[in-house]
Amino acid sequence: MLIAALLGLAGLLGGSFANVVAHRGPVLWGFANRPERATGRYDLAWPGSHCPSCGHGLGPAELVPVLSYLALRGRCSACGARIAPRYLLLEALGGLAGLSAGLLFPVPFAFFVLALLLLLMTAAAVDSETGYLPDALTGPALWLGLLVSATGVGLDPGAAIFGAALGYVALRGVEEAYRALRGREGLGRGDAKLLAAGGAWLGPGSLPFIVLLAAFSALVVIGAQAARGRSVEGGTEVRFGPYLAGAIAALLLARPLVPPSVAALLGAP
């Protein structure tokens, strides 16, 4: 339990940093414009955490993951501007990711799992807000999976490499086929790279289940939106990255909880 608690704390802090990456990363990667208030140096470390509306610098009491957001009721203490719910969501998910990794997996594999989950949720946040899945997030997720396999605490290296290659080629094939049939973009390269990362962590046998679970989740969300009156047509953009990231995370966390026969059906080695 001590390891799980420590990983839960690390996940809370990691979720807080994930918010920094999700907010500033798109600017650094060229996906978004630099904030008007930002002058001089601008990166993940500088300027310090502040309210994007009024520029108020956040003190230590305003930087406690989850608790600060709840205490402030989602508002800036200086100007009262609304703080995006994504800040609370990523911090809470980070804490849950760390706790789950510590409870479900042995050390040191649990540490690697937490790192992957933090990368996945950051990638999902960036894609949902910008429509891009940057290499700066999908690349480390992929290479971390291959590294873990090489250390002997994850998949067999051959299965990890084959899973990564097959995942990338499969979605690239779907992307090219869609472009040929419809004459426009469907899936992006980032989706293929993210599925490659899933293949490196879960193996080639898991790829159909990742895609099916992601597609099912997307259909459920789209159906719920349509039921609330949102217009959904053939050309409606669906950012698939968050669903892929969620499916990879769900299948990874499910493996220790299901019988070996079910885990084998889901592609476990």
Side-chain angles (χ1 to χ4, degrees), residues 112 116 119 135 137-150 160-161 164 193 196-197 200-201:
F112 295 119
L116 173 67
L119 286 167
D135 292 348
L137 297 173
T138 57
L142 168 61
W143 288 108
L144 184 61
L146 296 176
L147 174 64
V148 169
S149 72
I161 294 171
K193 294 172 184 176
W201 278 88

Side-chain angles (χ1 to χ4, degrees), residues 50-100:
H50 61 277
C51 171
S53 297
C54 69
H56 164 67
L58 303 184
E62 297 170 293
L63 292 171
V64 181
V66 177
L67 295 180
S68 292
Y69 187 99
L70 296 176
L72 294 169
R73 297 182 179 180
R75 300 279 178 178
C76 171
S77 62
C79 70
R82 180 173 176 269
I83 304 171
R86 184 247 295 158
Y87 287 87
L88 175 63
L89 179 62
L90 289 190
E91 289 172 354
L93 284 178
L96 288 173
L99 187 62
S100 299

Side-chain angles (χ1 to χ4, degrees), residues 36-58:
E36 293 182 2
R37 290 181 174 273
T39 58
R41 177 183 166 189
Y42 188 83
D43 53 35
L44 296 180
W46 187 264
S49 297
H50 61 277
C51 171
S53 297
C54 69
H56 164 67
L58 303 184

Side-chain angles (χ1 to χ4, degrees), residues 1-252:
M1 282 299 295
L2 177 60
I3 293 296
L6 291 175
L7 281 173
L9 177 59
L12 286 171
L13 297 175
S16 182
F17 183 68
N19 274 309
V20 176
V21 176
H23 181 71
R24 303 186 185 189
V27 176
L28 301 177
W29 303 319
F31 301 154
N33 295 324
R34 186 183 177 114
E36 293 182 2
R37 290 181 174 273
T39 58
R41 177 183 166 189
Y42 188 83
D43 53 35
L44 296 180
W46 187 264
S49 297
H50 61 277
C51 171
S53 297
C54 69
H56 164 67
L58 303 184
E62 297 170 293
L63 292 171
V64 181
V66 177
L67 295 180
S68 292
Y69 187 99
L70 296 176
L72 294 169
R73 297 182 179 180
R75 300 279 178 178
C76 171
S77 62
C79 70
R82 180 173 176 269
I83 304 171
R86 184 247 295 158
Y87 287 87
L88 175 63
L89 179 62
L90 289 190
E91 289 172 354
L93 284 178
L96 288 173
L99 187 62
S100 299
L103 291 174
L104 296 175
F105 299 100
V107 175
F109 189 58
F111 294 98
F112 295 119
V113 169
L114 174 57
L116 173 67
L117 295 176
L118 291 172
L119 286 167
L120 289 175
M121 68 187 207
T122 308
V126 171
D127 190 26
S128 66
E129 294 180 3
T130 69
Y132 291 96
L133 276 172
D135 292 348
L137 297 173
T138 57
L142 168 61
W143 288 108
L144 184 61
L146 296 176
L147 174 64
V148 169
S149 72
T151 62
V153 296
L155 289 180
D156 174 79
I161 294 171
F162 183 52
L166 184 60
Y168 182 77
V169 170
L171 275 199
R172 277 298 308 277
V174 173
E175 174 195 349
E176 295 297 335
Y178 186 90
R179 184 186 294 111
L181 290 172
R182 302 295 298 271
R184 55 187 170 89
E185 294 289 339
L187 294 169
R189 300 284 172 85
D191 295 316
K193 294 172 184 176
L194 185 57
L195 186 58
W201 278 88
L202 297 170
S206 68
L207 295 173
F209 298 99
I210 294 173
V211 175
L212 286 172
L213 180 57
F216 176 76
S217 302
L219 287 174
V220 169
V221 171
I222 294 170
Q225 292 173 340
R228 292 202 305 265
R230 177 184 173 184
S231 177
V232 179
E233 301 174 352
T236 301
E237 180 185 10
V238 177
R239 294 172 179 176
F240 199 48
Y243 302 105
L244 274 178
I248 293 168
L251 289 177
L252 178 62

